[in-house]
Amino acid sequence: MKGRVAAAAVLVLLLAGCGTTGSAASGKESQSKMNLQEAADRADEILDEAFAAIKPPVEWTHRYSMPGDCYVDRDRAVMTIISAERRGSFLGVLERHWKSKGYKLVATSPNGLVAHFKTQDGFQLEVLIGPNGQAHLSVTTPCVEKSEVAPPTSKPNGPDYSGQELPAPNVQSTFWSSDAPVSG
């Protein structure tokens, strides 16, 4: 178990570094199209659409918003407990949604609990499900023109834990928290 979590953590770290890299041409091209705030707004839109695709809905909270020199990371934590039996279904919902948007699957972890996607315009998406059943969805923007970045404006679906220590997932769902395997 520790090995799988460690492998997922290594994959997360490797993939997280991808948001700050790229060719000089692609970086300059992206910079001419938008600034950090516009990129953050697009990241929020991607996350809003992803959560809207999850049926039945889950409770989530903003985790962090971190602007870098030329990119922004936005992360949301799912407060609904995703049982071991439903984690594949949860990831499947997101994978189908993101593929329907034309996003490309870049990598998955060996244990299947981390998936990394990329949009046509260079945004990097990640879904990670921790051993306690807490899912995180994050978006890293491509390198863009520097500007001020406001906090996300999307209202969390549930209590807002932004700026606080995040508790373990604590919301039961008759579907997502169920121990029964998904049929069909």
Side-chain angles (χ1 to χ4, degrees):
M1 178 69 174
K2 286 184 180 180
R4 287 189 286 188
V5 172
V10 169
L11 181 64
V12 169
L13 292 174
L14 290 172
L15 296 174
C18 296
T20 60
T21 62
S23 69
S26 67
K28 288 181 181 175
E29 183 179 305
S30 294
Q31 285 184 351
S32 67
K33 292 182 181 177
M34 66 177 66
N35 64 32
L36 285 172
Q37 182 60 59
E38 293 165 331
D41 291 342
R42 170 87 171 103
D44 291 338
E45 178 184 295
I46 290 168
L47 289 167
D48 288 344
E49 290 174 352
F51 278 99
I54 299 169
K55 304 289 185 217
V58 294
E59 285 195 20
W60 62 268
T61 185
H62 293 287
R63 183 68 185 127
Y64 61 79
S65 173
M66 293 190 323
D69 289 336
C70 73
Y71 67 94
V72 178
D73 285 329
R74 295 279 216 221
D75 184 88
R76 296 180 186 178
V78 175
M79 298 309 299
T80 301
I81 299 164
I82 310 297
S83 70
E85 292 79 8
R86 300 298 169 108
R87 292 174 190 170
S89 297
F90 185 82
L91 292 168
V93 166
L94 291 169
E95 181 176 346
R96 285 187 298 279
H97 169 69
W98 286 339
K99 284 182 174 180
S100 77
K101 305 289 282 178
Y103 305 164
K104 180 183 173 197
L105 177 63
V106 177
T108 58
S109 65
N111 65 4
L113 297 178
V114 180
H116 181 75
F117 284 78
K118 191 169 185 176
T119 68
Q120 301 90 330
D121 53 353
F123 286 74
Q124 297 179 53
L125 292 56
E126 181 179 77
V127 57
L128 160 74
I129 300 181
N132 64 354
Q134 187 159 52
H136 290 265
L137 278 71
S138 61
V139 176
T140 300
T141 71
C143 188
V144 296
E145 184 179 313
K146 192 165 182 78
S147 71
E148 293 295 317
V149 179
T153 58
S154 300
K155 187 177 187 287
N157 182 19
D160 186 356
Y161 292 103
S162 54
Q164 302 173 38
E165 186 168 333
L166 185 68
N170 53 20
V171 177
Q172 287 287 329
S173 163
T174 55
F175 181 79
W176 294 115
S177 306
S178 173
D179 292 337
V182 178
S183 61

